[in-house]
Structure formats: C-alpha cells, structure tokens
Amino acid sequence: QAARVQRFIHLSGILAATMGGDSGPAPKRPSEALSLIPWQADAAVFTGCSLLSAFCVVPVVMAVDKSVTQAAAGMPLSQALKTVGHDMVTRPVAVLRSAPFWMVMGVYGCTYGANNLVDVASERFALAPATVTSMKLIGATGAYTATSILKDVAFAKMFSKAADSAKEVKRSVPLSVYGTFLFRDALIIGAGFILPAMVATAIKSNTKMEPKRADKVAQLGTPCAMQIIITPIHLFGLNLYNAPTATIGERVHAVMSTYPQTTGVRMFRFFWAYGVGGLVNKELNQNARDWTVGRYASETRGNL
C-alpha cells in the first residue's frame, strides 16, 4: 500500500509539473518565518508570480493558437504566423489590449496560479505530499482544461473565417466541438499521467543520463511528442465548427492538409508553455519565498 502511495505521488508530481512548474516539491520556508508572514502577502505575491509567468508564455502561445485556428479555416499557416508576428512587432499595444491576448493570459494565469497557491497552502497547513499532488491535479489540470476549452471555442468563433473576412463569425458552437476539445485535454492529462514516468524509466535504463536530467527530459519532451496524437484531434474540433455539414472524408482531408506543419508549431508551443514557462514560474516562486522571509521575518532567518 505504501509503495502505491509513493508511486501515485511520483506520477502526480510529474503531471503537476507539466501543468505548472517543476516535478520536485516546492522548498519549504521555516515555520517560524511563516508565522510572521501575513497570508494576504503570500496570496498577493504568489498570484503575481503566476501572472508574470503567464505573461512570459502568452506571446508565443497566442501566436501559435491564433495561427493554427486561422490555418484550419483556410489561411496558410506560414502567412498566419507572419501576420501575427508582424502585428506583435508593429502594433504591440494593440496586441496587448486584444481579447486573444487576455484569453491566453487567463488560461496560464489560472493554471500557474492554482499550482502556486497549492504550494503555499501546503506550507501553511503542513499538508501531506499525496494531498498536495491531488490538489494540484484537481486545481492545475482543472483550471487548464476549463479555461483552454473556453479559449479555443472563442478562437474558433473569432478566426474561423480568417481567410475570407476579419469579422467574427456569429454561429452557435455545436456540443461536438466542446466534446472534442474535452477529449483532447483528457487525453493530454491521462497520457501525461503515465508517459513521463515511463519515458524517464526508459531513458535511465538505456542511457547513462543522470536520473534528474532524465526526469527533466521526459517532463519537457513528452508533452511535445504527444502532439503527434493530440494535434489531429484539435484540428478535428476546429473543423467541426468551420464545416458543420462536411463528410467524414472531407474532414479527414482538411485535418491532414495542415497536420504536419501544425504539429511542429504546436510542439514548440507546448515546450514554451510547460518548459520555459514552468521554469520561469519555479524561479519566480523561489525568489518570492526568499523575499517574503526577508521582508517579514529577517530576524528569524538570521537566527536559524
């Protein structure tokens, strides 16, 4: 029974890392220092870390998601990426104020925020590791799934006729689109719960790579590799909205016509969001912990 619990904690930690940070446990602050740090300060500081981490990943994620949605509607992916990049360089303020920017910001702000606040709660209430990882699974993955589905449906409505018109298409979204996106995210979460540990074990068994490095390679590489399977499901969901009366053959053709290049850019997108973004989030959280101890409990730290 104990071995099963430890394996659950290990696998959960890897998935929580994929969604919000690092697979290792967050470093704890001394209990004496925590008693002097107001919980309001923790909530504000770590929410700020979540928003800053999200801000680092939004430009890349938004550019890819918008371009992929436009490509699924008929615009060449290269043209869509070029247009988004041009807008970011020449009209940065307009991009920053745009709805797509803040939709993506909401997805990753909620995802990193859930991860960070669970870490803070675990410090303050001395939660068991299994409880912490379960809370991260429910919080971080739940926040990601709900917000990403809403964002992708909104993008489909905003950019589905990008090749013909810049105006938002006002058409109801079939339940099949929501179902497809939910299946996509369930597959990401379900596969991510098993595959990173399996990949890490295979790397350790067949190479001389250090265990920590093998875990990191598996953590960063698995979400990217999973896009080979996840991307066509994503494109299928977009096609259900773009062409509600298409036949199965027409849908397969539409998906396969953009599948190769779309998979490549979505691999980069996931690496940036969960690799770069996760590492930035971890570093900001460590700096936040050091700052709160120094700001509110410097004498306590000096006596430890």
Side-chain angles (χ1 to χ4, degrees), residues 6-292:
Q6 288 300 319
R7 181 166 177 77
F8 170 77
I9 293 171
H10 175 67
L11 292 174
S12 300
I14 291 175
L15 181 55
T18 301
M19 290 295 171
D22 187 84
S23 58
K28 305 292 185 182
R29 291 169 289 181
S31 57
E32 295 88 347
L34 282 171
S35 66
L36 299 173
I37 300 171
W39 69 265
Q40 297 93 330
D42 264 358
V45 169
F46 287 95
T47 298
C49 290
S50 306
L51 296 176
L52 284 173
S53 301
F55 191 83
C56 290
V57 306
V58 168
V60 171
V61 173
M62 185 198 69
V64 171
D65 286 357
K66 179 178 178 179
S67 299
V68 167
T69 306
Q70 291 176 319
M75 178 184 289
L77 182 59
S78 59
Q79 180 184 339
L81 287 168
K82 182 178 179 181
T83 301
V84 174
H86 182 267
D87 286 344
M88 287 183 175
V89 173
T90 61
R91 301 168 56 239
V93 175
V95 171
L96 184 63
R97 295 173 61 183
S98 66
F101 183 94
W102 289 103
M103 288 178 187
V104 178
M105 185 75 177
V107 172
Y108 289 94
C110 289
T111 303
Y112 294 140
N115 183 82
N116 295 347
L117 293 178
V118 168
D119 280 338
V120 173
S122 73
E123 281 187 303
R124 289 188 167 272
F125 299 103
L127 300 177
T131 302
V132 174
T133 50
S134 296
M135 289 174 64
K136 284 189 177 184
L137 279 174
I138 296 170
T141 62
Y144 174 80
T145 299
T147 55
S148 69
I149 290 174
L150 293 175
K151 181 265 296 178
D152 287 332
V153 168
F155 271 34
K157 294 177 69 175
M158 295 169 71
F159 308 122
S160 67
K161 291 296 183 181
D164 302 321
S165 172
K167 295 182 179 179
E168 181 178 344
V169 178
K170 299 190 181 298
R171 185 169 70 239
S172 62
V173 180
L175 288 177
S176 58
V177 174
Y178 288 98
T180 302
F181 288 155
L182 178 61
F183 175 67
R184 173 203 63 191
D185 287 346
L187 194 60
I188 290 174
I189 294 167
F193 187 57
I194 299 170
L195 289 181
M198 294 175 62
V199 171
T201 300
I203 293 174
K204 294 171 191 176
S205 301
N206 296 285
T207 70
K208 296 181 179 180
M209 188 179 296
E210 295 179 358
K212 269 193 170 183
R213 188 176 181 185
D215 288 339
K216 183 63 67 177
V217 169
Q219 176 187 321
L220 298 181
T222 303
C224 298
M226 283 165 53
Q227 294 311 304
I228 295 173
I229 298 172
I230 301 299
T231 295
I233 299 173
H234 178 72
L235 294 174
F236 184 78
L238 292 174
N239 184 259
L240 287 172
Y241 182 79
N242 292 331
T245 61
T247 64
I248 292 296
E250 290 170 337
R251 295 197 191 285
V252 171
H253 180 267
V255 168
M256 296 309 297
S257 65
T258 59
Y259 170 64
Q261 60 268 38
T262 299
T263 300
V265 296
R266 278 178 58 84
M267 283 182 173
F268 179 73
R269 169 214 192 277
F270 272 78
F271 171 79
W272 190 268
Y274 298 132
V276 175
L279 294 175
V280 168
N281 188 49
K282 179 186 176 184
E283 186 67 24
L284 287 175
N285 274 275
Q286 183 57 57
N287 290 337
R289 283 181 166 79
D290 293 341
W291 181 85
T292 54

